[in-house]
Amino acid sequence: MIQQKCALVCGAAGFIGSHMVKRLKKEGFWVRGVDLKHPEFSESTADDYLVGDLRDPDVCNRSLDRTFDEVYQFAADMGGAGFVFTGENDAAIMHNSAMINLNMLESCRKNNSNRIFFSSSACVYPSYNQMDPDTPNCSEDSVYPASPDSDYGWEKLFSERLYLAYYRDYGMAVRIGRYHNIYGPEGTWDGGREKVPAALCRKVVRASDGGEIEVWGDGKQTRSFLFIDDCIEGTIRLTRSQIATPLNIGSEEMISINELAGVVMEIAGRKLTLKHIPGPLGVRGRNSDNKLVKEMLGWEPLISLKEGMGKTYVWIAEQIRKTDALTK
Ligand code: NAD
């Protein structure tokens, strides 16, 4: 008899975690999800769901009451620029996320759940290589000398090192993906933790005809954005690979925030004016460098920004319609 494989998804209520649970269920895994809360936008498809705080070692040990074939660690105290770059949440971000990683990794080691994916971030890359919007450098080997522009990035870098130390010292199959701005349906779209793709979709839906939408800064800062389905595929492939070195999981389709607003307006068929206001910005330019991940993993994104943003826009417009119907 073939034994059913088991996976643990930490942060299973979150954007990426909830999509990962769905994917693993489709593949026939027995899945346990764990998070502080239940998913906001659809019921979890996990076989078992634990509501608990992963800063607490007992919760980590309870989550790992068996040996899992794959562990996905997505739980973190995080959000978009409005949450990460204001400085107001730095202590919570560093303390909470580091505690989760310290405890989870140790519980995995004790319970022989050796294959663990850690969701790191493009925010680990040094700010001195991201001053120019046209030529940022985010190749994996450019990460040191370290100088991330946020404490969120420093925590990710510390945790990368922690995971790599467990790989070296305990032989655990640690896999690290550096995500670059993941977006798509069922991601946070308001409330302060949303990221720019979702925020722009919301603003375009909500704007009055011929009106304006606010953009932080001059909007000339550049980024790339990866659609959730591509992110899940890259993550699964990396987790099941033999590659312990951190790899970028992102898109190389770099665009300015003003241009991204243009893409959303085109999808919506609306012509609005951009109003530039002061706001938290992050680095001036950032783009994924996929040379190494293509070479080592044979993975690259398949969904264009236009296609992914189209799907995201439709979903956010529907959420707004539902919310408005409820408040009428
Ligand atoms: P998310 O905020 O939607 O999900 C994170 C989940 O972790 C949330 O559901 C939250 O409730 C849970 N969580 C937080 N603290 C917890 C605790 N103490 N105990 C248990 N659960 C806790 O974020 P996401 O967009 O799904 O991102 C997943 C991971 O990927 C995070 O580690 C994030 O830092 C990383 N990442 C994401 C992006 C992106 O663009 N989404 C980019 C780079 C890195």
Side-chain angles (χ1 to χ4, degrees):
M1 202 177 79
I2 300 169
Q3 234 198 335
Q4 189 181 24
K5 288 200 166 183
C6 308
L8 176 66
V9 178
C10 307
F15 171 46
I16 302 172
S18 57
H19 282 274
M20 182 56 82
V21 170
K22 284 185 196 147
R23 165 71 184 256
L24 292 166
K25 279 310 302 166
K26 269 196 202 138
E27 290 189 7
F29 273 70
W30 184 91
V31 181
R32 171 177 289 153
V34 52
D35 201 298
L36 286 171
K37 56 186 186 187
H38 285 277
E40 196 179 337
F41 304 115
S42 61
E43 192 131 331
S44 179
T45 52
D47 298 276
D48 186 39
Y49 198 93
L50 192 66
V51 174
D53 188 334
L54 291 167
R55 290 172 301 180
D56 178 349
D58 286 343
V59 173
C60 293
N61 287 335
R62 270 199 286 133
S63 308
L64 282 145
D65 64 352
R66 67 193 70 195
T67 300
F68 286 90
D69 298 289
E70 295 174 8
V71 176
Y72 294 89
Q73 202 320 68
F74 299 118
D77 202 357
M78 76 93 86
F83 183 75
V84 164
F85 297 124
T86 57
E88 287 160 18
N89 305 303
D90 287 350
I93 288 171
M94 295 197 85
H95 177 265
N96 295 339
S97 298
M99 289 278 280
I100 295 169
N101 286 315
L102 285 160
N103 291 332
M104 267 311 300
L105 202 40
E106 185 56 14
S107 294
C108 283
R109 182 184 73 82
K110 284 197 293 215
N111 293 290
N112 289 324
S113 293
N114 283 322
R115 187 162 294 264
I116 177 164
F117 173 85
F118 170 57
S119 46
S120 184
S121 166
C123 290
V124 295
Y125 288 113
S127 42
Y128 57 76
N129 280 336
Q130 302 172 86
M131 312 283 246
D132 178 0
D134 299 321
T135 56
N137 176 13
C138 292
S139 62
E140 284 84 347
D141 61 357
S142 70
V143 76
Y144 293 106
S147 184
D149 76 323
S150 64
D151 281 338
Y152 170 76
W154 277 108
E155 188 283 323
K156 289 292 188 194
L157 202 53
F158 161 75
S159 290
E160 278 194 5
R161 296 195 68 103
L162 178 72
Y163 280 80
L164 289 169
Y166 272 64
Y167 161 72
R168 289 193 310 273
D169 293 357
Y170 302 127
M172 288 176 69
V174 159
R175 306 290 175 249
I176 300 172
R178 291 180 182 155
Y179 288 155
H180 291 244
N181 298 313
I182 317 302
Y183 74 99
E186 303 205 6
T188 303
W189 55 274
D190 72 351
R193 287 191 187 230
E194 66 279 18
K195 319 265 172 50
V196 65
L200 286 173
C201 289
R202 186 197 66 229
K203 289 175 186 180
V204 169
V205 174
R206 287 238 185 264
S208 48
D209 283 340
E212 52 187 27
I213 59 169
E214 290 181 344
V215 170
W216 289 342
D218 63 8
K220 291 180 183 156
Q221 61 275 30
T222 52
R223 295 291 184 276
S224 67
F225 301 92
L226 182 72
F227 191 64
I228 183 69
D229 294 4
D230 281 327
C231 166
I232 296 291
E233 180 61 32
T235 302
I236 292 252
R237 282 209 215 171
L238 177 54
T239 303
R240 295 174 190 167
S241 76
Q242 297 304 313
I243 305 164
T245 164
L247 288 179
N248 285 330
I249 297 188
S251 156
E252 290 180 318
E253 209 181 330
M254 189 170 79
I255 186 171
S256 74
I257 304 304
N258 288 338
E259 287 165 337
L260 183 65
V263 169
V264 180
M265 286 191 263
E266 199 187 318
I267 289 165
R270 310 198 66 189
K271 237 183 147 41
L272 305 162
T273 310
L274 302 186
K275 182 182 174 194
H276 294 103
I277 58 162
L281 295 176
V283 293
R284 195 69 185 139
R286 175 171 290 156
N287 193 13
S288 186
D289 179 331
N290 288 356
K291 189 169 173 282
L292 193 64
V293 69
K294 257 189 241 166
E295 237 170 62
M296 294 187 80
L297 200 60
W299 171 87
E300 60 184 321
L302 300 176
I303 297 157
S304 70
L305 181 68
K306 187 107 189 262
E307 186 187 349
M309 284 303 289
K311 292 182 183 184
T312 309
Y313 182 84
V314 167
W315 181 80
I316 290 176
E318 177 61 10
Q319 298 308 301
I320 293 176
R321 197 191 56 73
K322 282 190 200 157
T323 311
D324 290 353
L326 279 177
T327 50
K328 261 183 197 153

